[in-house]
Amino acid sequence: MRVEYDRDTCIGMFQCVDEWEGFEKNVDDGKADLVDGEETDDGVFVREVPEDAEFDAKFAARVCPVEAIRILDDDGEQLVP
């Protein structure tokens, strides 16, 4: 499972930060950062989700008010918007 995060879409509500330690506040930019995320497209970051963090990562995606976070299975199918 992996997380895909569109940082340009983020509006800085930081709800994801409260739900999963895979996100950190970047107060200077007013956006969240995906910890250890690799930029794959302009402003889009991806990383693998550890098995013990899958529930929290899914919840972080669910609480994002602008759907900037997507959770994908190993086949690339979207599990959470």
Side-chain angles (χ1 to χ4, degrees):
M1 176 184 296
R2 70 182 188 274
V3 60
E4 183 178 280
Y5 169 57
D6 185 343
R7 193 168 189 275
D8 292 336
T9 300
C10 177
I11 60 171
M13 296 295 293
F14 302 120
Q15 291 173 321
C16 58
V17 174
D18 293 335
E19 301 305 331
W20 182 37
E21 62 188 27
F23 285 99
E24 292 180 342
K25 281 185 182 181
N26 183 327
V27 179
D28 293 335
D29 290 347
K31 303 207 180 241
D33 287 333
L34 180 61
V35 177
D36 297 328
E38 179 181 329
E39 191 167 14
T40 58
D41 278 327
D42 189 32
V44 177
F45 295 83
V46 176
R47 71 169 266 194
E48 292 296 316
V49 177
E51 281 187 38
D52 63 344
E54 289 179 358
F55 179 82
D56 292 341
K58 288 178 184 177
F59 206 78
R62 285 188 184 101
V63 299
C64 179
V66 293
E67 298 181 355
I69 304 165
R70 297 186 333 141
I71 303 296
L72 307 167
D73 68 14
D74 293 334
D75 295 323
E77 296 294 319
Q78 186 170 338
L79 301 174
V80 177

